[in-house]
Amino acid sequence: MGRFARAAAPCAPKDLTLLSTLLVPVPWLPFAVLVALVVVAPFVGVLLARAPRTTTVLAVLALVAVLGATLYPEGTPSAAVRCSVELPYLAPTASESIANVLLFVPAVFLAGLRTARPLLTAAAGIGLSAGIEAAQAFVLGIGRACDTSDLVTNAIGAVIGGLLAAAALGLVRRRATRRR
């Protein structure tokens, strides 16, 4: 090998995703969005609690976005089951990890508001993430690989979404008792 030649890196389809490519120039953006979401979501939740149909439509759209972002075929179909077992790198500039956290926050938040059962919807969000990772491992035709760090970051997002829904529902209850 020449002085500047590099050995070919092992195939890592997750590193070549559109999301990663878009976030390289602004690695702080997902963290800023997460902070803004945490600040604003409980107050938006108070408004959405009065509009159950709108909340349902938004929750379904968020779920479709999660499924589309995680199960849409990417690259060439896999020849074998692949699953990477590792913990995520979590830092404000870890854009892909924070984006994975963000992926589940809206769906769980909106479902938690709609059902008024935020803890149950957080658990369902974690279960959904596990199912998605299993599909990425075993459905070879979509060209994806499962990654336990994605499961961990998605679970963190589901918990944050559940907590934000609980906060919004608490604000709704507090307003209701003040009016009496």
Side-chain angles (χ1 to χ4, degrees):
M1 282 186 155
R3 186 172 155 193
F4 298 105
R6 294 189 320 217
C11 181
K14 295 186 80 65
D15 294 340
L16 302 175
T17 63
L18 179 62
L19 179 63
S20 297
T21 305
L22 291 173
L23 294 177
V24 167
V26 283
W28 51 266
L29 183 62
F31 185 72
V33 171
L34 181 61
V35 169
L37 194 60
V38 167
V39 171
V40 172
F43 303 107
V44 171
V46 170
L47 299 173
L48 288 173
R50 289 186 251 149
R53 287 186 190 161
T54 302
T55 305
T56 301
V57 169
L58 291 173
V60 168
L61 290 173
L63 179 61
V64 168
V66 167
L67 295 174
T70 57
L71 295 177
Y72 187 81
E74 180 179 276
T76 58
S78 304
V81 172
R82 295 186 324 241
C83 195
S84 174
V85 178
E86 58 190 18
L87 290 174
Y89 172 67
L90 292 173
T93 57
S95 58
E96 190 164 344
S97 291
I98 301 299
N100 278 333
V101 170
L102 275 172
L103 185 63
F104 273 71
V105 174
V108 172
F109 170 69
L110 293 163
L113 278 177
R114 183 63 182 103
T115 62
R117 302 183 89 182
L119 295 178
L120 182 61
T121 55
I126 294 168
L128 175 63
S129 178
I132 287 169
E133 293 304 320
Q136 288 178 341
F138 294 112
V139 180
L140 302 179
I142 62 173
R144 300 245 185 181
C146 79
D147 189 336
T148 56
S149 67
D150 288 350
L151 176 61
V152 171
T153 53
N154 294 343
I156 292 168
V159 169
I160 291 170
L163 291 172
L164 291 172
L169 292 168
L171 289 172
V172 168
R173 286 185 201 106
R174 184 181 299 166
R175 279 181 128 189
T177 56
R178 283 186 183 173
R179 290 183 180 171
R180 291 182 188 178

